[in-house]
Amino acid sequence: GQSLEQPSEVTAVEGAIVQINCTYQTSGFYGLSWYQQHDGGAPTFLSYNALDGLEETGRFSSFLSRSDSYGYLLLQELQMKDSASYFCAVVRDNYGQNFVFGPGTRLSVLP
Amino acid sequence: EPEVTQTPSHQVTQMGQEVILRCVPISNHLYFYWYRQILGQKVEFLVSFYNNEISEKSEIFDDQFSVERPDGSNFTLKIRSTKLEDSAMYFCASSDGQGGAGELFFGEGSRLTVL
């Protein structure tokens, strides 16, 4: 079976740092992706980790530990526009053919 | 920038009616997907399609669902006899399948309301 866990909600203030965790148990694992979804919008790709360690893209960073079946998304210098749902997704094969999404974490950024 | 386009953006139908949702994936992509999202819930995998056939489907994708790539550009999802619980946002997505770069490109979605 496929199982991904994320916190359901996180709240933080503008300018703060927030970490959204994701643990997974899947049949097949090639990498972990993160997506952002604003209300009423489509998921949009943020980052991808195939190897252990930290990947940094501007204010967003993503971390993966394959041995712990764990990853996180780190958002720095939070802005109001970062209020959205964030989904981790396991990429199950090396063609990027099969993705399984986590339940999502709703991030609310307060002024 | 290339994008995945979906039509219609919103469709209202009566229970038992057939619905076809249409998608135009990014032109050089090889893998196509349908996902659905019930309001406020997670994105659920329905089906993946590669080389003109279904490569994987979930338990949600039962005999009421079918997919087709009728020409070189369109990718459709048909629901044969809609049920109330089919009400959801349906997202089409595509990927280039290059080395598992982890990126799916989503369309803006088709909201289906079954009455």
Side-chain angles (χ1 to χ4, degrees), chain A:
Chain A
Q2 325 295 342
S3 170
L4 287 84
E5 293 188 4
Q6 300 178 236
S8 57
E9 292 183 39
V10 173
T11 301
V13 296
E14 269 189 301
I17 298 172
V18 74
Q19 179 174 312
I20 299 173
N21 297 322
C22 173
T23 58
Y24 58 86
Q25 277 189 305
T26 57
S27 57
F29 179 87
Y30 197 77
L32 188 71
S33 295
W34 288 90
Y35 288 79
Q36 178 191 62
Q37 186 182 32
H38 286 101
D39 285 346
T44 55
F45 174 79
L46 290 177
S47 68
Y48 173 67
N49 295 70
L51 302 175
D52 284 359
L54 193 68
E55 292 281 342
E56 297 182 65
T57 311
R59 294 189 297 115
F60 294 179
S61 304
S62 57
F63 172 83
L64 175 65
S65 169
R66 296 172 72 108
S67 59
D68 295 322
S69 298
Y70 163 75
Y72 65 74
L73 179 69
L74 190 73
L75 298 89
Q76 302 182 73
E77 301 172 21
L78 280 175
Q79 302 174 9
M80 298 293 287
K81 66 178 182 179
D82 297 330
S83 292
S85 292
Y86 292 83
F87 295 88
C88 59
V90 165
V91 182
R92 289 174 58 209
D93 64 74
N94 64 341
Y95 295 104
Q97 185 178 347
N98 195 304
F99 296 70
V100 178
F101 281 78
T105 298
R106 185 164 189 86
L107 170 65
S108 299
V109 180
L110 305 178

Side-chain angles (χ1 to χ4, degrees), chain B residues 38-88:
Chain B
I38 295 169
L39 187 63
Q41 298 186 26
K42 70 175 182 180
V43 179
E44 298 178 292
F45 170 72
L46 292 178
V47 65
S48 59
F49 193 86
Y50 169 71
N51 200 25
N52 285 318
E53 60 183 24
I54 290 173
S55 49
E56 191 157 348
K57 60 183 181 180
S58 71
E59 62 272 13
I60 302 170
F61 194 88
D62 61 22
D63 292 344
Q64 294 299 313
F65 291 88
S66 62
V67 289
E68 195 175 40
R69 187 154 164 84
D71 52 43
S73 59
N74 290 284
F75 179 50
T76 63
L77 175 69
K78 182 193 290 187
I79 309 174
R80 201 179 338 273
S81 177
T82 50
K83 304 186 285 284
L84 294 176
E85 55 264 36
D86 293 328
S87 294

Side-chain angles (χ1 to χ4, degrees), chain B residues 25-44:
Chain B
I26 294 173
S27 62
N28 64 339
H29 282 188
L30 302 176
Y31 297 92
F32 315 118
Y33 312 80
W34 284 100
Y35 287 83
R36 79 172 187 190
Q37 187 177 34
I38 295 169
L39 187 63
Q41 298 186 26
K42 70 175 182 180
V43 179
E44 298 178 292

